[in-house]
Amino acid sequence: MISVAIDGPSGAGKSSLAKRLAKDLGYVYVDTGAMYRSIGLYAVRAGVDPKDEAAVTALLPQIKLAIRLVDGAQHIYLNGEDVSDAIRAENIGMAASAVSAHPPVRAFLLDTQRGLAADQNILMDGRDIGTVVLPNATVKIFLTASAEARAERRRKELEEKGQPADFATVLADIQQRDYQDTHRAIAPLKQADDAILVDTSDIGFDESFELLKRTILAHI
Ligand code: DC
């Protein structure tokens, strides 16, 4: 089985690029961030502080996640409800970052993530895929861009969605998530020793896609 691990900070374009690459290569795309976001959503809805490890851990037995392909797109179901859109809210991204720092949450998702890679060719994106989830992945990519480039892309995206936000606020949000994701004690975001670094600060989507595709094909 071929597994491609793509890790990197928030807003580097991981999921849009990974989605298109998976489609192009004919692999199954697995968005692990969506799993953490679903747990974050469940905690917020339950009125639990996502930073409270004991309280979040107590919720885990109530959570059942399922991933299904619908018309070629990955949908995630939280206890049977399709939450693919609900998990994209800004506050849920922050909640996901908080719950992802708790070891029981990571252990809860690890088996599911490894299981998905066991019997199909996959392209999985996240923060710790190359370092923890799939240490023997066929190809590992660390996809990054400067915080400013990521904030500007995110600002534009929000504007297009009719949710305008100012650059400074978006940048501060990205910097806070970078800090949380790289400083947690367990499975922090970091480049695996054998990962290929791809920086998209100065290149657009199509160019990034071509570069990644060439890089992956050269290593499988
Ligand atoms: O990629 P994303 O923005 O959807 O991820 C949401 C949060 O989940 C992110 O801030 C950190 C966490 N996450 C993680 O800890 N490990 C992963 N493999 C994927 C995401």
Side-chain angles (χ1 to χ4, degrees):
M1 290 297 130
I2 294 170
S3 51
V4 179
I6 303 189
D7 291 302
S10 307
K14 279 193 314 291
S15 50
S16 343
L17 286 163
K19 240 179 252 170
R20 181 153 153 207
L21 285 162
K23 199 167 171 204
D24 197 85
L25 297 164
Y27 299 174
V28 172
Y29 168 55
V30 180
D31 172 4
T32 61
M35 300 178 184
Y36 289 98
R37 284 172 179 268
S38 299
I39 295 178
L41 176 68
Y42 192 81
V44 168
R45 283 181 176 175
V48 160
D49 176 1
K51 291 202 174 80
D52 183 339
E53 178 173 333
V56 172
T57 303
L59 296 177
L60 294 175
Q62 305 164 22
I63 298 178
K64 202 162 161 32
L65 295 179
I67 291 174
R68 270 180 234 132
L69 266 186
V70 180
D71 296 330
Q74 182 189 269
H75 284 241
I76 187 151
Y77 296 81
L78 170 61
N79 295 335
E81 175 194 350
D82 185 349
V83 292
S84 313
D85 291 331
I87 58 169
R88 295 294 150 202
E90 292 297 292
N91 66 322
I92 302 305
M94 208 51 95
S97 178
V99 299
S100 73
H102 307 320
V105 171
R106 305 203 71 87
F108 178 76
L109 293 177
L110 189 60
D111 285 349
T112 309
Q113 292 166 353
R114 287 193 177 147
L116 287 165
D119 56 0
Q120 53 191 355
N121 293 334
I122 54 138
L123 194 152
M124 191 177 281
D125 82 10
R127 302 292 186 287
D128 62 336
I129 311 307
T131 50
V132 176
V133 181
L134 304 175
N136 298 316
T138 321
V139 191
K140 298 180 187 178
I141 310 254
F142 194 79
L143 186 70
T144 191
S146 68
E148 289 73 16
R150 288 182 282 130
E152 180 48 27
R153 285 178 204 157
R154 183 72 189 134
R155 192 200 60 75
K156 246 194 209 148
E157 216 175 82
L158 286 168
E159 192 176 76
E160 281 159 15
K161 279 206 269 180
Q163 302 163 10
D166 66 280
F167 178 77
T169 309
V170 179
L171 179 62
D173 202 72
I174 283 198
Q175 285 168 332
Q176 188 190 340
R177 271 178 66 189
D178 281 358
Y179 187 86
Q180 281 177 204
D181 294 348
T182 53
H183 285 76
R184 65 177 178 227
I186 180 169
L189 168 66
K190 67 165 197 261
Q191 183 178 348
D193 292 339
D194 51 352
I196 303 152
L197 178 69
V198 175
D199 187 321
T200 67
S201 303
D202 300 317
I203 54 176
F205 185 82
D206 290 334
E207 209 177 323
S208 303
F209 169 77
E210 293 302 336
L211 174 61
L212 284 169
K213 187 176 164 185
R214 270 202 311 277
T215 307
I216 293 169
L217 290 176
H219 288 85
I220 56 175

